[in-house]
Amino acid sequence: MKRLIHRGYSLLAGLVLALSLAHSPASAQVEILEEPVAGRGVAFFRIMVRAGSMHDPKGKEGLANFTAMLLKRGAGKWDRKAIDERLDQRGASLDAYVQKEFTMIVGRCLTANLPEFYDLLRAVVLEPSFPTAQVQSGKQDQLEAINAVKNDNEDLGLEAFTHFVYAGTSWEHSAVGRVSSVNSFTRQDVVEFYNTRYTRDNVTVGIGGDYGTDGKLVEKIRADFGKLPQRSVPTAVPPRPELKGRRVLIVEKRGLDQGQINIGHPLSIHRKDATYAPLYVAAQYLGSHRTFTGQLMKSVRSDRGLTYGAYSYIEYFPYPYRTGAEILPMMNIARSQQDFRVWTFTLAKNIDFTLRLALLKFIELRRDGVDKRRFASVKTYSKNKFVFFRETPERRLAMRLDDKIYGTGDFGSGFEARLAKVTAADTNAVMRAVLDPDDLAIVVTVPDAAAFKAELLKPGASVEYQGNIDPAPLTTEDGQAKGLDLKLSEESIVIKGVDALFE
Amino acid sequence: MLKMKALLMQFLTVGVATITLTGAVEASELSLPIEQQALGNGIQVITLVDHTMPTVSFQVFVNAGSRDEVLPGKTGLAHIFEHLMFRGTKRYPSYDDALITTGAENNADTSDDRTRYFESAKAEFLDKIMEVEADRFRGLNFDRTAFNNELGPVRQEREKGTDNNPHGFLMEKLHDLAYTVHTYKHDTIGTKDDIIKMQYEDAYNFYNTFYQPRHIFIVIAGDFDRAKALARLETLFGGDWGRKAYEGYATPPAAEPPQEASRRGLEIWKDAVTPPLLFQGYHIPAFSLRDSNFCALELTENLLFLDSSPLNVELSQKLRLVQPGGIGGGARRGKDPALFYFMATLRQGAQPKDLSAVERSIEAALKRLASKPVGAKELEKARNNYIANTLYGLDRAGDVASSIGELYVLTQDAQTLNKLIDCYRGVTPKDIQRVVSTYLVPKNRSTMTLLPKTEKRDGAAKEAK
């Protein structure tokens, strides 16, 4: 079976090559975006390759990630040891990560080391050697990456949400793939994937910081990357899954005292749409990330102490601690198909109540609309906060690369003006148009799935407050949350173990 | 235009021009235009103006963290106060609402040595930020309801970072093992028992003692007018705050006696899928630039843990005992003698014998560094990485303010950031040998291991305890 899939992929790759060669304009050059800051002393690269996990061949899930991982393990005249040595010697960094729709290669160095660093970067992107020994050891490393997701409760919750919402599509699997697919990788798979996806049409080179004003480096980049094969590779349209009714995925992870709650559904709009700005304000109003601005944070955390955080999003937002960015999203995580999502976490015994409470707050906001005065404040907050999304040259460059995914012109420079024009009526209208409390995916991680399923199916929920919280002022709303009809049936609830998400 | 970036560039430009083929940075010292003034009540204000930045960052440091929780059974107070400070005042019942229209990026964090409150925003909002910040420092609405309501989120934060996180959990155990009397023994979040038993009066005493001018300093960096800001701060933060320190906090943390022999502990995690972990801590001196010891320890960190370092290559690539990126650590910058960490995350399914093999590799790496001077190229590599990372971290107003403030906590010298690179540059191979053979030695070491749960291991852990 694996061999057949492999052969099928090879044939497809050959077909794509033949078709695209026939349609390629001979004069096309690699696209280069620049964000210069003279005299800064530090230069950086962000190279986007349209080689995302959605492009993984069937049965080879995780191949884009594997290919990206191997880039640095042998390229040009250097082996892995020499590459690591040259980077470390210069205090430089070079890494790659994979999103649904692209691979992002990110590098940084002191300007003084730019010539040597660029030589290395060029080799890594354009002349990877994919040594056989590294393919073997790399498979073990990618299996460890799968384990790392399983062991990280926040990552696991978010991956499970995507897995559930996009089941049966090219977005279902995690970028790190599945255990069986990773075990099946061969060097030939990697070479074919690289040859198919790392083409001139598929690459956008972003360079920023202090890289010189004479244009020589940019010319060199243009010449070097121009040697990539000219070939337009069909880019599959991102899936827009249909979600009917409320469906629940319960992921069982034994030993947990605290469970993750993700509630949401695919969105029908994104950045380029006129209704994006009013919806952006709505998401801030309901659950601005890591602030007390949102309604969720007030109700779930401030009033009840049930959680440390309760937020809502209209764009993919992986838990950002490991990047050091606590409030802003990671750079270059764009997706042209986005989800509305509410995220919180609480003690295992309070998950049922907390998810009902979060759902109640969402339903109320959509039904009743925003408070006009509060809305004005949140809108101004959203507008003035936007400076941080463009605070550094690297963030500005990243935003321009995101424009490529979203098909937006220059989103960064125009968004504050768009926000300024948003009215409460706009926000209420778009919430009612695109947010749907009846068609929802609810994904929770719990220590005992069967018990939790039974809890969900029985009417009502209970809550156990910690500390000396006075429940009296909360009684009315608690009653509403406890009595909220989840509209679930036996058939609408699926239980999976952690391993099943990656098999 | 100016000033910080121009001077930073000057440093960089010099550094750039003199980089050798092997990448050594031989530039003159970093020279950021950091200034320091004092308000009438003694609050130190450290400023760095840079009009090229699109934002300004305002950060208030309270010179108290979990290190200062010297009363038995009263851990976690510094941290809960970080939470309580968001509970509003009479004038501004909601802190976040008071600043909402500014769009300020605001938050706070607590460590062993300090608590930090920070806001960054467009320059036009600095005045509002300072006013709201001063208001909560002087008039916090600190009542029992606020206190009670905040205990839940703190519990949840602990559940997330410690009780359901094997790395956080083992780090807490390592500190508990490595220290016998000093308050670095407990983690900043506080012990589970202490959080549950925490009383309003305990928090009140901590607040009155440490949230007053003599324990506070302010850092402002980015796009702002220094003279105007200082004048405004005198109005907002100046004068006597009228708080009486609680006598229980008059005694500083007990000094940790020298460790006489290596220590060891074992924990069994609550699930079967977590990979084995090995954490070690070696006692090292407090942060200081008075001699080369601490900078030598920081460069030792790079000699041990960079991707191309012999230890990293051996463990992750040759022996394949740890996960990719699964070996790391380094010297913690502490007000008091702290720890040099080794943190290894083994591959899934690794056995106890693999933990021993990792330990042997670490010990052998330390012996190599102690017995033979490190080569010039290796030392340059370690140095270049530290210098580059110091510079990479000066991109945003918030990062600049934080870098300056974190070092001031440790040295009470606002220019410490400017002196760091010179310090790294002064480290010699002999310094590396000296600090490794003095501090990173077995008798100075505490080792904690964590294994996934199996029935057999459950029993072994109980025996070990």
Side-chain angles (χ1 to χ4, degrees):
Chain A
M1 179 64 183
K2 281 176 190 168
R3 284 179 69 183
L4 282 175
I5 289 168
H6 180 200
R7 190 184 302 159
Y9 169 63
S10 304
L11 287 170
L12 178 64
L15 181 63
V16 166
L17 175 63
L19 287 172
S20 51
L21 280 173
H23 292 89
S24 301
S27 60
Q29 294 181 325
V30 72
E31 186 174 22
I32 301 175
L33 302 181
E34 297 184 65
E35 196 67 44
V37 181
R40 185 169 171 262
V42 175
F44 53 85
F45 290 82
R46 302 186 77 83
I47 300 175
M48 183 168 73
V49 185
R50 298 278 191 150
S53 62
M54 70 181 288
H55 303 117
D56 292 335
K58 205 160 176 53
K60 298 288 177 185
E61 290 82 8
L63 188 58
N65 188 76
F66 191 58
T67 305
M69 181 174 74
L70 289 179
L71 292 175
K72 227 174 79 170
R73 297 196 176 182
K77 59 189 175 189
W78 297 295
D79 63 10
R80 178 182 185 178
K81 187 179 174 205
I83 292 171
D84 287 345
E85 184 67 37
R86 286 178 78 79
L87 288 171
D88 284 347
Q89 194 66 46
R90 287 158 183 79
S93 65
L94 181 56
D95 294 293
Y97 63 89
V98 171
Q99 294 289 296
K100 293 291 181 201
E101 297 173 66
F102 57 86
T103 294
M104 186 62 63
I105 298 160
V106 182
R108 186 161 54 170
C109 69
L110 295 178
T111 301
N113 297 321
L114 188 52
E116 295 103 320
F117 178 76
Y118 175 71
D119 275 351
L120 195 64
L121 173 79
R122 185 191 56 74
V124 161
V125 182
L126 302 178
E127 301 168 7
S129 52
F130 304 123
T132 305
Q134 293 297 333
V135 171
Q136 290 313 311
S137 59
K139 284 159 67 170
Q140 293 305 312
D141 293 344
Q142 188 143 329
L143 291 172
E144 290 295 343
I146 291 176
N147 289 329
V149 177
K150 290 181 190 172
N151 286 324
D152 183 306
N153 295 329
E154 287 84 21
D155 273 359
L156 178 66
L158 185 49
E159 285 288 356
F161 178 79
T162 307
H163 171 92
F164 192 50
V165 170
Y166 291 89
T169 77
S170 59
W171 281 30
E172 177 181 355
H173 64 276
S174 162
V176 289
R178 300 191 167 109
V179 172
S180 57
S181 59
V182 172
N183 278 323
S184 79
F185 292 163
T186 65
R187 182 176 183 278
Q188 189 59 23
D189 293 332
V190 178
V191 170
E192 285 176 6
F193 186 83
Y194 177 84
N195 286 340
T196 305
R197 304 297 320 177
Y198 284 63
T199 67
R200 208 184 307 167
D201 285 356
N202 261 5
V203 171
T204 305
V205 178
I207 179 168
D210 188 5
Y211 55 88
T213 54
D214 58 10
K216 283 183 182 168
L217 179 61
V218 173
E219 277 313 303
K220 191 165 168 46
I221 293 170
R222 187 163 286 124
D224 289 337
F225 282 73
K227 290 172 191 159
L228 279 168
Q230 170 76 52
R231 167 186 327 149
S232 60
V233 186
T235 300
V237 177
R240 184 173 293 174
E242 287 295 314
L243 191 62
K244 289 289 172 206
R246 290 188 185 152
R247 294 169 52 222
V248 179
L249 170 64
I250 304 174
V251 178
E252 181 171 275
K253 188 171 177 185
R254 292 270 165 191
L256 280 181
D257 301 322
Q258 187 181 58
Q260 298 286 316
I261 302 170
N262 284 282
I263 307 169
H265 62 67
L267 275 176
S268 54
I269 65 167
H270 69 61
R271 286 184 183 186
K272 74 177 175 190
D273 298 298
T275 45
Y276 176 82
L279 189 63
Y280 181 90
V281 181
Q284 302 295 314
Y285 191 103
L286 179 62
S288 173
H289 182 79
R290 289 304 299 265
T291 77
F292 291 88
T293 303
Q295 305 291 294
L296 288 168
M297 196 68 159
K298 179 178 184 313
S299 185
V300 187
R301 173 170 164 169
S302 300
D303 292 348
R304 293 176 172 82
L306 287 169
T307 189
Y308 179 66
Y311 317 115
S312 68
Y313 310 93
I314 57 167
E315 287 185 348
Y316 176 59
F317 199 110
Y319 191 65
Y321 256 164
R322 57 188 66 77
T323 69
E326 295 183 18
I327 293 171
L328 299 178
M330 288 168 61
M331 287 183 272
N332 292 135
I333 51 170
R335 292 180 172 188
S336 52
Q337 170 60 49
Q338 292 286 3
D339 307 313
F340 162 69
R341 183 170 63 95
V342 167
W343 170 47
T344 188
F345 42 92
T346 190
L347 280 181
K349 62 188 173 192
N350 287 329
I351 294 174
D352 185 13
F353 174 80
T354 305
L355 93 78
R356 288 174 202 248
L357 179 64
L359 189 52
L360 176 71
K361 300 311 291 181
F362 162 49
I363 291 168
E364 284 179 347
L365 176 61
R366 185 181 173 278
R367 183 193 63 209
D368 303 338
V370 295
D371 170 82
K372 280 192 179 166
R373 206 164 148 185
R374 180 79 186 163
F375 167 82
S377 297
V378 174
K379 182 178 95 167
T380 311
Y381 162 81
S382 304
K383 186 168 72 70
N384 285 327
K385 183 185 171 185
F386 195 69
V387 66
F388 297 106
F389 287 76
R390 307 179 74 240
E391 190 180 10
T392 65
E394 193 160 7
R395 278 205 164 265
R396 291 194 288 276
L397 180 62
M399 193 160 272
R400 289 173 63 196
L401 284 162
D402 284 348
D403 286 339
K404 300 282 154 198
I405 297 293
Y406 291 114
T408 40
D410 182 359
F411 175 80
S413 65
F415 190 54
E416 281 164 287
R418 283 171 65 186
L419 283 170
K421 291 178 190 159
V422 172
T423 66
D426 295 338
T427 290
N428 291 337
V430 73
M431 280 195 296
R432 285 163 196 150
V434 305
L435 303 184
D436 187 350
D438 292 325
D439 296 331
L440 282 176
I442 299 171
V443 179
V444 290
T445 56
V446 299
D448 183 341
F452 185 70
K453 180 178 177 180
E455 217 177 309
L456 282 182
L457 287 173
K458 80 175 187 216
S462 61
V463 61
E464 199 175 306
Y465 289 124
Q466 299 162 65
N468 301 314
I469 283 191
D470 176 8
L474 310 171
T475 306
T476 305
E477 195 172 59
D478 277 6
Q480 291 168 337
K482 286 174 183 173
L484 186 74
D485 182 3
L486 290 175
K487 299 178 185 169
L488 297 176
S489 64
E490 182 84 31
E491 295 71 38
S492 59
I493 302 175
V494 177
I495 293 177
K496 285 193 178 184
V498 174
D499 290 342
L501 300 175
F502 300 91
E503 282 170 353
Chain B
M1 289 281 293
L2 153 253
K3 290 332 181 193
M4 167 216 163
K5 274 197 182 157
L7 289 175
L8 174 58
M9 270 42 87
Q10 184 187 342
F11 153 75
L12 289 169
T13 309
V14 175
V16 166
T18 55
I19 282 184
T20 66
L21 286 177
T22 52
V25 180
E26 297 172 354
S28 59
E29 65 188 29
L30 185 59
S31 185
L32 305 175
I34 302 167
E35 292 195 9
Q36 180 175 357
Q37 278 86 17
L39 303 184
N41 60 7
I43 291 179
Q44 300 296 310
V45 182
I46 304 167
T47 53
L48 190 153
V49 178
D50 180 355
H51 295 303
T52 69
M53 288 184 166
T55 58
V56 61
S57 184
F58 182 79
Q59 310 204 353
V60 182
F61 285 76
V62 179
N63 229 327
S66 53
R67 165 193 180 273
D68 301 283
E69 295 160 353
V70 294
L71 301 176
K74 311 285 182 194
T75 65
L77 290 167
H79 175 248
I80 197 167
F81 240 93
E82 174 212 316
H83 283 236
L84 290 168
M85 287 287 279
F86 289 84
R87 283 282 174 175
T89 65
K90 191 173 174 187
R91 181 167 185 191
Y92 296 115
S94 162
Y95 163 82
D96 272 63
D97 283 357
L99 287 179
I100 190 167
T101 54
T102 67
E105 191 182 74
N106 74 75
N107 214 324
D109 54 22
T110 313
S111 75
D112 307 72
D113 291 331
R114 93 296 180 271
T115 310
R116 178 176 69 119
Y117 299 87
F118 53 97
E119 297 91 4
S120 299
K122 292 176 181 172
E124 66 206 77
F125 298 119
L126 177 61
D127 194 73
K128 179 71 178 177
I129 285 170
M130 293 195 298
E131 187 220 322
V132 173
E133 195 61 282
D135 180 59
R136 71 169 169 173
F137 265 85
R138 304 190 78 145
L140 184 68
N141 177 23
F142 173 39
D143 59 24
R144 286 179 194 274
T145 304
F147 174 78
N148 288 335
N149 282 16
E150 212 48 47
L151 288 175
V154 170
R155 275 283 304 279
Q156 289 302 313
E157 191 176 356
R158 193 191 145 89
E159 289 285 343
K160 183 169 178 289
T162 306
D163 300 322
N164 287 281
N165 179 327
H167 289 83
F169 172 81
L170 199 63
M171 188 54 79
E172 180 179 60
K173 297 295 178 190
L174 178 67
H175 289 155
D176 187 47
L177 181 70
Y179 290 98
T180 56
V181 295
H182 190 276
T183 43
Y184 285 165
K185 185 175 177 64
H186 67 265
D187 268 5
T188 299
I189 190 87
T191 68
K192 203 166 187 171
D193 279 355
D194 288 355
I195 294 171
I196 290 168
K197 292 174 191 161
M198 197 177 276
Q199 296 296 311
Y200 171 82
E201 286 71 19
D202 300 331
Y204 187 76
N205 290 336
F206 191 88
Y207 174 65
N208 267 349
T209 303
F210 294 108
Y211 281 65
Q212 53 173 307
R214 69 192 178 94
H215 291 291
I216 283 168
F217 72 93
I218 293 167
V219 184
I220 317 176
D223 181 20
F224 71 105
D225 182 311
R226 180 182 278 129
K228 274 189 190 168
L230 284 165
R232 188 78 173 119
L233 284 174
E234 186 64 57
T235 306
L236 294 167
F237 280 85
D240 180 11
W241 294 12
R243 288 189 192 138
K244 189 170 180 292
Y246 178 62
E247 60 273 17
Y249 288 111
T251 313
E256 183 67 22
Q259 189 169 319
E260 302 293 341
S262 64
R263 299 171 188 158
R264 181 173 291 276
L266 168 69
E267 293 291 337
I268 305 298
W269 188 240
K270 50 190 162 187
D271 66 38
V273 295
T274 294
L277 304 177
L278 169 82
F279 284 11
Q280 293 184 326
Y282 291 80
H283 290 281
I284 56 170
F287 180 85
S288 168
L289 297 188
R290 282 193 296 272
D291 55 43
S292 60
N293 281 351
F294 207 90
C295 288
L297 282 163
E298 293 200 331
L299 294 193
T300 300
E301 172 183 324
N302 279 350
L303 290 167
L304 288 164
F305 301 128
L306 286 176
D307 283 350
S308 62
S309 75
L311 176 66
N312 197 329
V313 170
E314 178 173 301
L315 288 176
S316 62
Q317 295 179 43
K318 290 182 182 163
L319 301 176
R320 300 185 63 75
L321 291 169
V322 302
Q323 294 185 3
I327 178 74
R332 191 176 83 71
R333 295 171 175 179
K335 270 183 191 173
D336 297 328
L339 295 179
F340 189 105
Y341 299 100
F342 287 82
M343 295 178 286
T345 304
L346 275 70
R347 290 183 180 256
Q348 201 85 20
Q351 300 301 308
K353 69 179 171 49
D354 298 323
L355 288 164
S356 305
V358 171
E359 283 193 64
R360 285 196 298 276
S361 289
I362 292 171
E363 197 150 357
L366 291 174
K367 274 185 185 158
R368 281 196 298 274
L369 288 173
S371 61
K372 192 176 159 194
V374 64
K377 194 176 168 188
E378 282 298 300
L379 188 56
E380 276 175 12
K381 180 165 72 175
R383 184 184 290 136
N384 288 349
N385 267 275
Y386 242 102
I387 293 172
N389 284 321
T390 302
L391 300 178
Y392 293 155
L394 299 176
D395 232 12
R396 310 173 66 218
D399 295 340
V400 173
S402 136
S403 296
I404 294 169
E406 297 292 2
L407 289 164
Y408 187 82
V409 166
L410 302 170
T411 62
Q412 287 74 59
D413 175 1
Q415 301 301 327
T416 306
L417 181 59
N418 279 331
K419 296 173 182 173
L420 258 189
I421 289 177
D422 251 8
C423 180
Y424 295 136
R425 197 167 290 117
V427 172
T428 66
K430 281 190 176 174
D431 291 332
I432 301 288
Q433 273 187 287
R434 187 184 69 252
V435 295
V436 173
S437 54
T438 305
Y439 302 113
L440 307 186
V441 293
K443 79 175 182 96
N444 228 2
R445 179 179 67 213
S446 297
T447 302
M448 283 300 310
T449 52
L450 178 144
L451 292 169
K453 187 174 189 172
T454 64
E455 279 179 27
K456 196 175 163 191
R457 282 176 188 158
D458 233 358
K462 279 169 195 156
E463 214 169 281
K465 284 176 182 172

